[in-house]
Amino acid sequence: MPIPSTAAERRRAERAARSGGEPELEFAGGTPYARYGAIDTLLDLQRPRTAEPSETSFIIATQVMELLFSLLAEHWERAREAMERDDTAAAVAELRRGARVQDVLVSSWDLLADLSPTEFSRFRDALGDASGFQSHTYRRLEFLLGNTSAAMVRPHRGSPRARAELERAMEEPGLYDAALGLLARRGLPVPDEALRRDRTRPYAEHPGVREAWARVYADDTPGNDLFVLAEALLDTAERVTRWRQRHLAAVKRSMGAKPGTGGSNGLRWLAANAAEDVFPELWSLRTEL
Ligand code: HEM
């Protein structure tokens, strides 16, 4: 039997002893569980607009992914901060935790795997002009990945909180900016243009950055913390692409090549995005090694 170390743990141990190990059944008002997790509020947030049952799966998939996007942003921001203070071990640990979240995000597409085009067409009009493209939480992730863009803040002009969040995310370094800064501080030849890039535009691949990473990869032992960090960044990048590819497949299955509710041409626009490598030099250097 473990020794209880806090007053609350002692109280729980005494209660379990009193009840013979059975859980508590009596509560005045609602349960502490419902209060702590705001469960009633949570379960009140799914409001299908049609009688089509699969609309609920669509809404829940969207909400689950939004929550996970926001959790992932926290891990990535902590990873970025760790790199800024040269703590590669902490950065790798946060990227690994983020990768677990990304794995759940990728498998969340299973919620929509059986959505047929007929079912989708029964509730698609109810979306109006709503599109995941307008998700500021997702956009914050893209900014953290280096895909910063002043144009992508525009849809959120009318929403002070989202706008402020994205403007801050555009000013602050992303994960890759922080990694390149770390490489430079460790004496690797990272070009100045890459270190001081224009953050109102997406990061653009640079041969000098590939050269700097190639030097890191010259020592691929676990003792080389920069190599371990590079591989953790690549794990992150690969999972981003997996999510994009599953999104693409869900779109292809449920509506083929129809235009999107957000105004894009749909499949073609998403396919072009899915084909873009995240942290490009970490991929392109592999051809040369
Ligand atoms: C069958 C279900 C879905 C379809 C058919 C679909 C379709 C589309 C389309 C066509 C776009 C391109 C922009 C547009 O014109 O609308 C888009 C973008 C997007 N969708 Fe979905 N989507 C689906 C489910 C979801 C879910 C569940 C999420 C989770 C939040 C999501 C998140 C996004 C995001 C974040 C973008 C922007 C991607 C980017 O900027 O690269 N989508 N979606």
Side-chain angles (χ1 to χ4, degrees), residues 62-264:
T62 304
Q63 293 177 338
V64 164
M65 288 199 215
E66 277 287 328
L67 291 174
L68 294 170
F69 290 159
S70 125
L71 182 61
L72 184 55
E74 287 181 20
H75 287 302
W76 285 357
E77 283 184 356
R78 283 200 288 271
R80 192 248 336 259
E81 283 152 20
M83 284 187 267
E84 287 176 328
R85 56 173 198 273
D86 295 350
D87 188 345
T88 48
V92 168
E94 284 298 342
L95 290 173
R96 288 214 174 109
R97 289 193 184 109
R100 307 284 167 252
V101 178
Q102 288 180 280
D103 287 341
V104 181
L105 267 166
V106 171
S107 57
S108 300
W109 284 112
D110 287 349
L111 295 167
L112 295 175
D114 297 320
L115 180 68
S116 79
T118 329
E119 282 172 326
F120 188 39
S121 62
R122 282 195 210 108
F123 69 86
R124 189 169 186 233
D125 288 348
L127 304 180
D129 292 338
S131 162
F133 174 73
Q134 298 145 10
S135 163
H136 72 276
T137 331
Y138 179 81
R139 203 54 57 203
R140 179 172 159 214
L141 289 178
E142 285 281 0
F143 283 12
L144 274 162
L145 291 171
N147 294 322
T148 36
S149 152
M152 289 302 187
V153 183
R154 276 204 336 248
H156 307 285
R157 268 180 307 197
S159 160
R161 185 173 148 190
R163 179 189 177 159
E165 193 177 292
L166 288 181
E167 282 174 348
R168 184 174 58 82
M170 195 164 60
E171 278 162 27
E172 288 174 355
L175 282 173
Y176 204 53
D177 299 310
L180 297 185
L182 174 60
L183 258 55
R185 289 194 296 283
R186 296 276 285 266
L188 287 147
V190 180
D192 247 25
E193 299 139 74
L195 290 173
R196 273 174 261 290
R197 72 182 182 89
D198 172 6
R199 292 224 180 87
T200 61
R201 309 160 82 104
Y203 177 85
E205 186 165 3
H206 195 298
V209 171
R210 192 162 58 239
E211 171 55 30
W213 281 122
R215 293 203 195 179
V216 169
Y217 274 73
D219 173 8
D220 63 349
T221 58
N224 178 2
D225 64 336
L226 293 180
F227 167 71
V228 175
L229 176 68
E231 290 288 289
L233 285 167
L234 201 79
D235 285 342
T236 302
E238 187 177 330
R239 283 166 171 81
V240 171
T241 300
R242 273 187 218 157
W243 186 89
R244 290 177 180 162
Q245 285 168 345
R246 286 215 61 187
H247 183 221
L248 192 64
V251 174
K252 201 168 180 178
R253 280 186 72 132
S254 61
M255 64 165 218
K258 288 179 202 162
T261 46
S264 81

